[in-house]
PDB file of all heavy atoms in Angstrom:
ATOM      1  N   ARG A   1     -50.071 201.371  83.109  1.00 70.00           N
ATOM      2  CA  ARG A   1     -50.210 201.654  81.653  1.00 70.00           C
ATOM      3  C   ARG A   1     -49.606 200.472  80.924  1.00 70.00           C
ATOM      4  O   ARG A   1     -48.671 199.842  81.336  1.00 70.00           O
ATOM      5  CB  ARG A   1     -49.368 202.881  81.258  1.00 70.00           C
ATOM      6  CG  ARG A   1     -49.938 204.158  81.718  1.00 70.00           C
ATOM      7  CD  ARG A   1     -49.038 205.275  81.235  1.00 70.00           C
ATOM      8  NE  ARG A   1     -49.650 206.546  81.395  1.00 70.00           N
ATOM      9  CZ  ARG A   1     -49.169 207.650  80.899  1.00 70.00           C
ATOM     10  NH1 ARG A   1     -48.078 207.645  80.185  1.00 70.00           N
ATOM     11  NH2 ARG A   1     -49.797 208.814  81.079  1.00 70.00           N
ATOM     12  N   PRO A   2     -50.186 200.190  79.714  1.00 70.00           N
ATOM     13  CA  PRO A   2     -49.618 199.095  78.883  1.00 70.00           C
ATOM     14  C   PRO A   2     -48.235 199.523  78.412  1.00 70.00           C
ATOM     15  O   PRO A   2     -47.948 200.676  78.138  1.00 70.00           O
ATOM     16  CB  PRO A   2     -50.585 198.968  77.730  1.00 70.00           C
ATOM     17  CG  PRO A   2     -51.366 200.244  77.731  1.00 70.00           C
ATOM     18  CD  PRO A   2     -51.354 200.787  79.136  1.00 70.00           C
ATOM     19  N   VAL A   3     -47.328 198.541  78.303  1.00 65.00           N
ATOM     20  CA  VAL A   3     -45.948 198.867  77.823  1.00 65.00           C
ATOM     21  C   VAL A   3     -46.001 199.011  76.329  1.00 65.00           C
ATOM     22  O   VAL A   3     -46.532 198.160  75.602  1.00 65.00           O
ATOM     23  CB  VAL A   3     -45.036 197.669  78.250  1.00 65.00           C
ATOM     24  CG1 VAL A   3     -43.622 197.927  77.694  1.00 65.00           C
ATOM     25  CG2 VAL A   3     -44.995 197.501  79.729  1.00 65.00           C
ATOM     26  N   PRO A   4     -45.539 200.158  75.827  1.00 61.00           N
ATOM     27  CA  PRO A   4     -45.520 200.322  74.330  1.00 61.00           C
ATOM     28  C   PRO A   4     -44.595 199.346  73.686  1.00 61.00           C
ATOM     29  O   PRO A   4     -43.586 198.886  74.216  1.00 61.00           O
ATOM     30  CB  PRO A   4     -44.945 201.727  74.168  1.00 61.00           C
ATOM     31  CG  PRO A   4     -44.575 202.257  75.479  1.00 61.00           C
ATOM     32  CD  PRO A   4     -44.932 201.242  76.538  1.00 61.00           C
ATOM     33  N   THR A   5     -44.954 198.946  72.464  1.00 79.00           N
ATOM     34  CA  THR A   5     -44.157 197.976  71.711  1.00 79.00           C
ATOM     35  C   THR A   5     -43.281 198.660  70.654  1.00 79.00           C
ATOM     36  O   THR A   5     -42.648 198.009  69.904  1.00 79.00           O
ATOM     37  CB  THR A   5     -45.095 196.984  70.994  1.00 79.00           C
ATOM     38  OG1 THR A   5     -46.006 197.685  70.153  1.00 79.00           O
ATOM     39  CG2 THR A   5     -45.841 196.133  71.999  1.00 79.00           C
ATOM     40  N   VAL A   6     -43.202 199.994  70.690  1.00 89.00           N
ATOM     41  CA  VAL A   6     -42.423 200.719  69.796  1.00 89.00           C
ATOM     42  C   VAL A   6     -40.938 200.669  70.207  1.00 89.00           C
ATOM     43  O   VAL A   6     -40.627 200.614  71.417  1.00 89.00           O
ATOM     44  CB  VAL A   6     -42.946 202.190  69.709  1.00 89.00           C
ATOM     45  CG1 VAL A   6     -42.685 202.937  70.928  1.00 89.00           C
ATOM     46  CG2 VAL A   6     -42.325 202.887  68.493  1.00 89.00           C
ATOM     47  N   THR A   7     -40.043 200.739  69.252  1.00 93.00           N
ATOM     48  CA  THR A   7     -38.628 200.714  69.516  1.00 93.00           C
ATOM     49  C   THR A   7     -37.994 202.080  69.267  1.00 93.00           C
ATOM     50  O   THR A   7     -38.534 202.892  68.488  1.00 93.00           O
ATOM     51  CB  THR A   7     -37.867 199.688  68.630  1.00 93.00           C
ATOM     52  OG1 THR A   7     -37.962 200.140  67.280  1.00 93.00           O
ATOM     53  CG2 THR A   7     -38.465 198.288  68.784  1.00 93.00           C
ATOM     54  N   PRO A   8     -36.878 202.373  69.886  1.00 94.00           N
ATOM     55  CA  PRO A   8     -36.180 203.665  69.550  1.00 94.00           C
ATOM     56  C   PRO A   8     -35.887 203.840  68.109  1.00 94.00           C
ATOM     57  O   PRO A   8     -36.030 204.944  67.569  1.00 94.00           O
ATOM     58  CB  PRO A   8     -34.894 203.516  70.403  1.00 94.00           C
ATOM     59  CG  PRO A   8     -35.218 202.639  71.525  1.00 94.00           C
ATOM     60  CD  PRO A   8     -36.168 201.635  70.923  1.00 94.00           C
ATOM     61  N   ASP A   9     -35.485 202.769  67.435  1.00 94.00           N
ATOM     62  CA  ASP A   9     -35.194 202.915  66.009  1.00 94.00           C
ATOM     63  C   ASP A   9     -36.455 203.234  65.179  1.00 94.00           C
ATOM     64  O   ASP A   9     -36.386 203.998  64.183  1.00 94.00           O
ATOM     65  CB  ASP A   9     -34.555 201.621  65.475  1.00 94.00           C
ATOM     66  CG  ASP A   9     -33.135 201.440  66.003  1.00 94.00           C
ATOM     67  OD1 ASP A   9     -32.491 202.428  66.362  1.00 94.00           O
ATOM     68  OD2 ASP A   9     -32.698 200.281  66.099  1.00 94.00           O
ATOM     69  N   ALA A  10     -37.611 202.664  65.523  1.00 94.00           N
ATOM     70  CA  ALA A  10     -38.842 202.970  64.855  1.00 94.00           C
ATOM     71  C   ALA A  10     -39.240 204.446  65.066  1.00 94.00           C
ATOM     72  O   ALA A  10     -39.685 205.094  64.104  1.00 94.00           O
ATOM     73  CB  ALA A  10     -39.955 202.045  65.323  1.00 94.00           C
ATOM     74  N   VAL A  11     -39.085 204.934  66.293  1.00 94.00           N
ATOM     75  CA  VAL A  11     -39.393 206.347  66.557  1.00 94.00           C
ATOM     76  C   VAL A  11     -38.462 207.237  65.816  1.00 94.00           C
ATOM     77  O   VAL A  11     -38.840 208.252  65.218  1.00 94.00           O
ATOM     78  CB  VAL A  11     -39.371 206.633  68.087  1.00 94.00           C
ATOM     79  CG1 VAL A  11     -39.582 208.115  68.349  1.00 94.00           C
ATOM     80  CG2 VAL A  11     -40.380 205.782  68.814  1.00 94.00           C
ATOM     81  N   PHE A  12     -37.149 206.886  65.809  1.00 95.00           N
ATOM     82  CA  PHE A  12     -36.170 207.646  65.049  1.00 95.00           C
ATOM     83  C   PHE A  12     -36.556 207.748  63.599  1.00 95.00           C
ATOM     84  O   PHE A  12     -36.522 208.839  62.986  1.00 95.00           O
ATOM     85  CB  PHE A  12     -34.773 207.013  65.223  1.00 95.00           C
ATOM     86  CG  PHE A  12     -33.675 207.724  64.447  1.00 95.00           C
ATOM     87  CD1 PHE A  12     -33.268 208.960  64.827  1.00 95.00           C
ATOM     88  CD2 PHE A  12     -33.124 207.085  63.337  1.00 95.00           C
ATOM     89  CE1 PHE A  12     -32.217 209.581  64.097  1.00 95.00           C
ATOM     90  CE2 PHE A  12     -32.089 207.732  62.602  1.00 95.00           C
ATOM     91  CZ  PHE A  12     -31.630 208.953  62.991  1.00 95.00           C
ATOM     92  N   ALA A  13     -36.949 206.663  62.969  1.00 94.00           N
ATOM     93  CA  ALA A  13     -37.357 206.628  61.570  1.00 94.00           C
ATOM     94  C   ALA A  13     -38.558 207.531  61.348  1.00 94.00           C
ATOM     95  O   ALA A  13     -38.639 208.296  60.364  1.00 94.00           O
ATOM     96  CB  ALA A  13     -37.594 205.234  61.102  1.00 94.00           C
ATOM     97  N   ALA A  14     -39.512 207.458  62.269  1.00 93.00           N
ATOM     98  CA  ALA A  14     -40.709 208.268  62.151  1.00 93.00           C
ATOM     99  C   ALA A  14     -40.403 209.781  62.291  1.00 93.00           C
ATOM    100  O   ALA A  14     -40.951 210.597  61.581  1.00 93.00           O
ATOM    101  CB  ALA A  14     -41.764 207.900  63.202  1.00 93.00           C
ATOM    102  N   LEU A  15     -39.490 210.117  63.172  1.00 93.00           N
ATOM    103  CA  LEU A  15     -39.043 211.531  63.350  1.00 93.00           C
ATOM    104  C   LEU A  15     -38.317 211.987  62.102  1.00 93.00           C
ATOM    105  O   LEU A  15     -38.401 213.135  61.740  1.00 93.00           O
ATOM    106  CB  LEU A  15     -38.206 211.692  64.579  1.00 93.00           C
ATOM    107  CG  LEU A  15     -38.935 211.653  65.911  1.00 93.00           C
ATOM    108  CD1 LEU A  15     -37.988 211.689  67.078  1.00 93.00           C
ATOM    109  CD2 LEU A  15     -39.955 212.841  66.023  1.00 93.00           C
ATOM    110  N   ARG A  16     -37.492 211.124  61.528  1.00 92.00           N
ATOM    111  CA  ARG A  16     -36.768 211.498  60.308  1.00 92.00           C
ATOM    112  C   ARG A  16     -37.715 211.857  59.192  1.00 92.00           C
ATOM    113  O   ARG A  16     -37.447 212.720  58.346  1.00 92.00           O
ATOM    114  CB  ARG A  16     -35.841 210.364  59.843  1.00 92.00           C
ATOM    115  CG  ARG A  16     -34.735 210.009  60.740  1.00 92.00           C
ATOM    116  CD  ARG A  16     -33.540 210.877  60.681  1.00 92.00           C
ATOM    117  NE  ARG A  16     -32.922 210.850  59.390  1.00 92.00           N
ATOM    118  CZ  ARG A  16     -31.889 211.628  59.085  1.00 92.00           C
ATOM    119  NH1 ARG A  16     -31.403 212.440  59.950  1.00 92.00           N
ATOM    120  NH2 ARG A  16     -31.405 211.602  57.868  1.00 92.00           N
ATOM    121  N   ALA A  17     -38.851 211.186  59.155  1.00 92.00           N
ATOM    122  CA  ALA A  17     -39.874 211.418  58.098  1.00 92.00           C
ATOM    123  C   ALA A  17     -40.784 212.625  58.404  1.00 92.00           C
ATOM    124  O   ALA A  17     -41.432 213.184  57.530  1.00 92.00           O
ATOM    125  CB  ALA A  17     -40.728 210.201  57.896  1.00 92.00           C
ATOM    126  N   ALA A  18     -40.863 213.045  59.722  1.00 89.00           N
ATOM    127  CA  ALA A  18     -41.702 214.135  60.101  1.00 89.00           C
ATOM    128  C   ALA A  18     -41.119 215.496  59.857  1.00 89.00           C
ATOM    129  O   ALA A  18     -39.913 215.653  59.763  1.00 89.00           O
ATOM    130  CB  ALA A  18     -42.030 213.948  61.628  1.00 89.00           C
ATOM    131  N   ALA A  19     -42.002 216.472  59.727  1.00 88.00           N
ATOM    132  CA  ALA A  19     -41.564 217.866  59.551  1.00 88.00           C
ATOM    133  C   ALA A  19     -41.434 218.429  60.949  1.00 88.00           C
ATOM    134  O   ALA A  19     -42.431 218.698  61.650  1.00 88.00           O
ATOM    135  CB  ALA A  19     -42.638 218.648  58.790  1.00 88.00           C
ATOM    136  N   LEU A  20     -40.191 218.652  61.418  1.00 90.00           N
ATOM    137  CA  LEU A  20     -39.919 219.124  62.760  1.00 90.00           C
ATOM    138  C   LEU A  20     -39.371 220.544  62.701  1.00 90.00           C
ATOM    139  O   LEU A  20     -38.764 220.996  61.771  1.00 90.00           O
ATOM    140  CB  LEU A  20     -38.887 218.238  63.395  1.00 90.00           C
ATOM    141  CG  LEU A  20     -39.128 216.770  63.557  1.00 90.00           C
ATOM    142  CD1 LEU A  20     -37.947 216.041  64.074  1.00 90.00           C
ATOM    143  CD2 LEU A  20     -40.360 216.526  64.406  1.00 90.00           C
ATOM    144  N   THR A  21     -39.637 221.254  63.806  1.00 89.00           N
ATOM    145  CA  THR A  21     -38.988 222.545  64.021  1.00 89.00           C
ATOM    146  C   THR A  21     -38.459 222.590  65.457  1.00 89.00           C
ATOM    147  O   THR A  21     -39.005 221.926  66.349  1.00 89.00           O
ATOM    148  CB  THR A  21     -39.916 223.731  63.825  1.00 89.00           C
ATOM    149  OG1 THR A  21     -40.988 223.647  64.744  1.00 89.00           O
ATOM    150  CG2 THR A  21     -40.424 223.830  62.383  1.00 89.00           C
ATOM    151  N   LEU A  22     -37.402 223.309  65.684  1.00 88.00           N
ATOM    152  CA  LEU A  22     -36.805 223.461  66.965  1.00 88.00           C
ATOM    153  C   LEU A  22     -36.625 224.993  67.145  1.00 88.00           C
ATOM    154  O   LEU A  22     -35.859 225.594  66.407  1.00 88.00           O
ATOM    155  CB  LEU A  22     -35.483 222.722  67.071  1.00 88.00           C
ATOM    156  CG  LEU A  22     -34.851 222.572  68.409  1.00 88.00           C
ATOM    157  CD1 LEU A  22     -35.737 221.860  69.398  1.00 88.00           C
ATOM    158  CD2 LEU A  22     -33.513 221.837  68.289  1.00 88.00           C
ATOM    159  N   ASP A  23     -37.380 225.553  68.065  1.00 83.00           N
ATOM    160  CA  ASP A  23     -37.370 227.000  68.286  1.00 83.00           C
ATOM    161  C   ASP A  23     -37.723 227.736  66.979  1.00 83.00           C
ATOM    162  O   ASP A  23     -37.176 228.775  66.636  1.00 83.00           O
ATOM    163  CB  ASP A  23     -36.061 227.473  68.812  1.00 83.00           C
ATOM    164  CG  ASP A  23     -35.770 226.946  70.169  1.00 83.00           C
ATOM    165  OD1 ASP A  23     -36.737 226.738  70.944  1.00 83.00           O
ATOM    166  OD2 ASP A  23     -34.622 226.730  70.531  1.00 83.00           O
ATOM    167  N   GLY A  24     -38.621 227.160  66.178  1.00 88.00           N
ATOM    168  CA  GLY A  24     -39.092 227.791  64.965  1.00 88.00           C
ATOM    169  C   GLY A  24     -38.190 227.582  63.772  1.00 88.00           C
ATOM    170  O   GLY A  24     -38.480 228.099  62.662  1.00 88.00           O
ATOM    171  N   VAL A  25     -37.096 226.848  63.899  1.00 91.00           N
ATOM    172  CA  VAL A  25     -36.156 226.597  62.793  1.00 91.00           C
ATOM    173  C   VAL A  25     -36.338 225.124  62.346  1.00 91.00           C
ATOM    174  O   VAL A  25     -36.442 224.227  63.181  1.00 91.00           O
ATOM    175  CB  VAL A  25     -34.730 226.820  63.284  1.00 91.00           C
ATOM    176  CG1 VAL A  25     -33.727 226.528  62.172  1.00 91.00           C
ATOM    177  CG2 VAL A  25     -34.532 228.249  63.834  1.00 91.00           C
ATOM    178  N   PRO A  26     -36.355 224.867  61.064  1.00 93.00           N
ATOM    179  CA  PRO A  26     -36.504 223.501  60.559  1.00 93.00           C
ATOM    180  C   PRO A  26     -35.445 222.612  61.182  1.00 93.00           C
ATOM    181  O   PRO A  26     -34.274 223.013  61.330  1.00 93.00           O
ATOM    182  CB  PRO A  26     -36.300 223.635  59.063  1.00 93.00           C
ATOM    183  CG  PRO A  26     -36.705 225.018  58.748  1.00 93.00           C
ATOM    184  CD  PRO A  26     -36.295 225.851  59.961  1.00 93.00           C
ATOM    185  N   ALA A  27     -35.833 221.413  61.576  1.00 94.00           N
ATOM    186  CA  ALA A  27     -34.936 220.504  62.262  1.00 94.00           C
ATOM    187  C   ALA A  27     -35.163 219.064  61.844  1.00 94.00           C
ATOM    188  O   ALA A  27     -36.147 218.801  61.128  1.00 94.00           O
ATOM    189  CB  ALA A  27     -35.124 220.654  63.779  1.00 94.00           C
ATOM    190  N   CYS A  28     -34.266 218.163  62.223  1.00 93.00           N
ATOM    191  CA  CYS A  28     -34.451 216.761  61.903  1.00 93.00           C
ATOM    192  C   CYS A  28     -33.790 215.933  63.037  1.00 93.00           C
ATOM    193  O   CYS A  28     -32.943 216.344  63.751  1.00 93.00           O
ATOM    194  CB  CYS A  28     -33.845 216.439  60.563  1.00 93.00           C
ATOM    195  SG  CYS A  28     -32.042 216.716  60.481  1.00 93.00           S
ATOM    196  N   ALA A  29     -34.228 214.697  63.110  1.00 95.00           N
ATOM    197  CA  ALA A  29     -33.685 213.770  64.042  1.00 95.00           C
ATOM    198  C   ALA A  29     -32.330 213.324  63.492  1.00 95.00           C
ATOM    199  O   ALA A  29     -32.224 213.025  62.307  1.00 95.00           O
ATOM    200  CB  ALA A  29     -34.585 212.520  64.229  1.00 95.00           C
ATOM    201  N   THR A  30     -31.293 213.364  64.329  1.00 95.00           N
ATOM    202  CA  THR A  30     -29.955 213.082  63.798  1.00 95.00           C
ATOM    203  C   THR A  30     -29.358 211.776  64.280  1.00 95.00           C
ATOM    204  O   THR A  30     -28.520 211.206  63.620  1.00 95.00           O
ATOM    205  CB  THR A  30     -28.980 214.257  64.174  1.00 95.00           C
ATOM    206  OG1 THR A  30     -28.946 214.386  65.588  1.00 95.00           O
ATOM    207  CG2 THR A  30     -29.414 215.556  63.507  1.00 95.00           C
ATOM    208  N   SER A  31     -29.702 211.368  65.480  1.00 95.00           N
ATOM    209  CA  SER A  31     -29.102 210.097  66.019  1.00 95.00           C
ATOM    210  C   SER A  31     -29.886 209.581  67.222  1.00 95.00           C
ATOM    211  O   SER A  31     -30.696 210.270  67.788  1.00 95.00           O
ATOM    212  CB  SER A  31     -27.644 210.348  66.374  1.00 95.00           C
ATOM    213  OG  SER A  31     -27.571 211.309  67.420  1.00 95.00           O
ATOM    214  N   VAL A  32     -29.554 208.343  67.560  1.00 96.00           N
ATOM    215  CA  VAL A  32     -30.095 207.742  68.778  1.00 96.00           C
ATOM    216  C   VAL A  32     -28.872 207.561  69.686  1.00 96.00           C
ATOM    217  O   VAL A  32     -27.844 206.986  69.301  1.00 96.00           O
ATOM    218  CB  VAL A  32     -30.738 206.344  68.516  1.00 96.00           C
ATOM    219  CG1 VAL A  32     -31.198 205.698  69.821  1.00 96.00           C
ATOM    220  CG2 VAL A  32     -31.888 206.521  67.549  1.00 96.00           C
ATOM    221  N   THR A  33     -28.971 208.073  70.961  1.00 95.00           N
ATOM    222  CA  THR A  33     -27.834 207.909  71.918  1.00 95.00           C
ATOM    223  C   THR A  33     -28.288 207.090  73.081  1.00 95.00           C
ATOM    224  O   THR A  33     -29.470 207.107  73.477  1.00 95.00           O
ATOM    225  CB  THR A  33     -27.399 209.272  72.406  1.00 95.00           C
ATOM    226  OG1 THR A  33     -28.405 209.961  73.057  1.00 95.00           O
ATOM    227  CG2 THR A  33     -26.871 210.145  71.240  1.00 95.00           C
ATOM    228  N   GLU A  34     -27.379 206.329  73.609  1.00 95.00           N
ATOM    229  CA  GLU A  34     -27.616 205.477  74.785  1.00 95.00           C
ATOM    230  C   GLU A  34     -28.768 204.498  74.511  1.00 95.00           C
ATOM    231  O   GLU A  34     -29.392 203.982  75.476  1.00 95.00           O
ATOM    232  CB  GLU A  34     -27.848 206.283  76.024  1.00 95.00           C
ATOM    233  CG  GLU A  34     -26.707 207.171  76.441  1.00 95.00           C
ATOM    234  CD  GLU A  34     -27.023 207.945  77.707  1.00 95.00           C
ATOM    235  OE1 GLU A  34     -27.822 207.468  78.547  1.00 95.00           O
ATOM    236  OE2 GLU A  34     -26.471 209.052  77.828  1.00 95.00           O
ATOM    237  N   GLY A  35     -29.108 204.285  73.271  1.00 94.00           N
ATOM    238  CA  GLY A  35     -30.129 203.331  72.893  1.00 94.00           C
ATOM    239  C   GLY A  35     -31.546 203.755  73.274  1.00 94.00           C
ATOM    240  O   GLY A  35     -32.485 203.017  73.048  1.00 94.00           O
ATOM    241  N   ARG A  36     -31.731 205.016  73.756  1.00 94.00           N
ATOM    242  CA  ARG A  36     -33.052 205.411  74.088  1.00 94.00           C
ATOM    243  C   ARG A  36     -33.324 206.924  73.933  1.00 94.00           C
ATOM    244  O   ARG A  36     -34.505 207.335  73.963  1.00 94.00           O
ATOM    245  CB  ARG A  36     -33.383 205.012  75.487  1.00 94.00           C
ATOM    246  CG  ARG A  36     -32.502 205.665  76.515  1.00 94.00           C
ATOM    247  CD  ARG A  36     -32.926 205.263  77.939  1.00 94.00           C
ATOM    248  NE  ARG A  36     -32.030 205.924  78.866  1.00 94.00           N
ATOM    249  CZ  ARG A  36     -31.228 205.379  79.713  1.00 94.00           C
ATOM    250  NH1 ARG A  36     -31.217 204.047  79.792  1.00 94.00           N
ATOM    251  NH2 ARG A  36     -30.469 206.039  80.504  1.00 94.00           N
ATOM    252  N   PHE A  37     -32.310 207.706  73.661  1.00 97.00           N
ATOM    253  CA  PHE A  37     -32.541 209.135  73.466  1.00 97.00           C
ATOM    254  C   PHE A  37     -32.320 209.517  72.008  1.00 97.00           C
ATOM    255  O   PHE A  37     -31.385 209.040  71.367  1.00 97.00           O
ATOM    256  CB  PHE A  37     -31.574 209.990  74.324  1.00 97.00           C
ATOM    257  CG  PHE A  37     -31.833 209.815  75.798  1.00 97.00           C
ATOM    258  CD1 PHE A  37     -30.999 209.016  76.566  1.00 97.00           C
ATOM    259  CD2 PHE A  37     -32.897 210.456  76.429  1.00 97.00           C
ATOM    260  CE1 PHE A  37     -31.229 208.859  77.906  1.00 97.00           C
ATOM    261  CE2 PHE A  37     -33.152 210.257  77.776  1.00 97.00           C
ATOM    262  CZ  PHE A  37     -32.305 209.471  78.550  1.00 97.00           C
ATOM    263  N   ILE A  38     -33.211 210.364  71.484  1.00 96.00           N
ATOM    264  CA  ILE A  38     -33.138 210.790  70.103  1.00 96.00           C
ATOM    265  C   ILE A  38     -32.706 212.223  70.087  1.00 96.00           C
ATOM    266  O   ILE A  38     -33.311 213.093  70.752  1.00 96.00           O
ATOM    267  CB  ILE A  38     -34.503 210.609  69.381  1.00 96.00           C
ATOM    268  CG1 ILE A  38     -34.867 209.113  69.354  1.00 96.00           C
ATOM    269  CG2 ILE A  38     -34.387 211.192  67.953  1.00 96.00           C
ATOM    270  CD1 ILE A  38     -36.229 208.834  68.896  1.00 96.00           C
ATOM    271  N   VAL A  39     -31.641 212.516  69.315  1.00 96.00           N
ATOM    272  CA  VAL A  39     -31.100 213.876  69.217  1.00 96.00           C
ATOM    273  C   VAL A  39     -31.763 214.545  68.032  1.00 96.00           C
ATOM    274  O   VAL A  39     -31.822 213.963  66.912  1.00 96.00           O
ATOM    275  CB  VAL A  39     -29.550 213.857  69.029  1.00 96.00           C
ATOM    276  CG1 VAL A  39     -29.051 215.303  68.849  1.00 96.00           C
ATOM    277  CG2 VAL A  39     -28.879 213.186  70.208  1.00 96.00           C
ATOM    278  N   ILE A  40     -32.287 215.716  68.235  1.00 95.00           N
ATOM    279  CA  ILE A  40     -32.922 216.523  67.209  1.00 95.00           C
ATOM    280  C   ILE A  40     -32.092 217.800  67.077  1.00 95.00           C
ATOM    281  O   ILE A  40     -31.832 218.464  68.116  1.00 95.00           O
ATOM    282  CB  ILE A  40     -34.383 216.844  67.591  1.00 95.00           C
ATOM    283  CG1 ILE A  40     -35.131 215.530  67.679  1.00 95.00           C
ATOM    284  CG2 ILE A  40     -34.997 217.759  66.533  1.00 95.00           C
ATOM    285  CD1 ILE A  40     -36.521 215.659  68.306  1.00 95.00           C
ATOM    286  N   ALA A  41     -31.694 218.148  65.888  1.00 94.00           N
ATOM    287  CA  ALA A  41     -30.880 219.341  65.685  1.00 94.00           C
ATOM    288  C   ALA A  41     -31.430 220.160  64.525  1.00 94.00           C
ATOM    289  O   ALA A  41     -32.118 219.588  63.616  1.00 94.00           O
ATOM    290  CB  ALA A  41     -29.449 218.942  65.382  1.00 94.00           C
ATOM    291  N   THR A  42     -31.196 221.460  64.568  1.00 93.00           N
ATOM    292  CA  THR A  42     -31.660 222.323  63.483  1.00 93.00           C
ATOM    293  C   THR A  42     -30.937 221.994  62.180  1.00 93.00           C
ATOM    294  O   THR A  42     -29.770 221.602  62.198  1.00 93.00           O
ATOM    295  CB  THR A  42     -31.466 223.823  63.841  1.00 93.00           C
ATOM    296  OG1 THR A  42     -30.070 224.016  64.134  1.00 93.00           O
ATOM    297  CG2 THR A  42     -32.331 224.224  65.006  1.00 93.00           C
TER     298      THR A  42
END
């Protein structure tokens, strides 16, 4: 597969702008951990 050129910070920003839910409850991206994991919380 081609290697994506997206960065964790770019995905974090996109998630912050997106309408997210977690188990049916409104949620948002809160942080990037270990430089590659995005935490999403209600």
Side-chain angles (χ1 to χ4, degrees):
R1 287 182 169 191
V3 177
T5 57
V6 69
T7 65
D9 291 333
V11 176
F12 176 71
L15 285 174
R16 295 279 299 175
L20 303 175
T21 59
L22 191 58
D23 295 329
V25 179
C28 62
T30 59
S31 63
V32 178
T33 60
E34 297 180 31
R36 64 178 180 239
F37 295 102
I38 298 171
V39 178
I40 298 167
T42 55

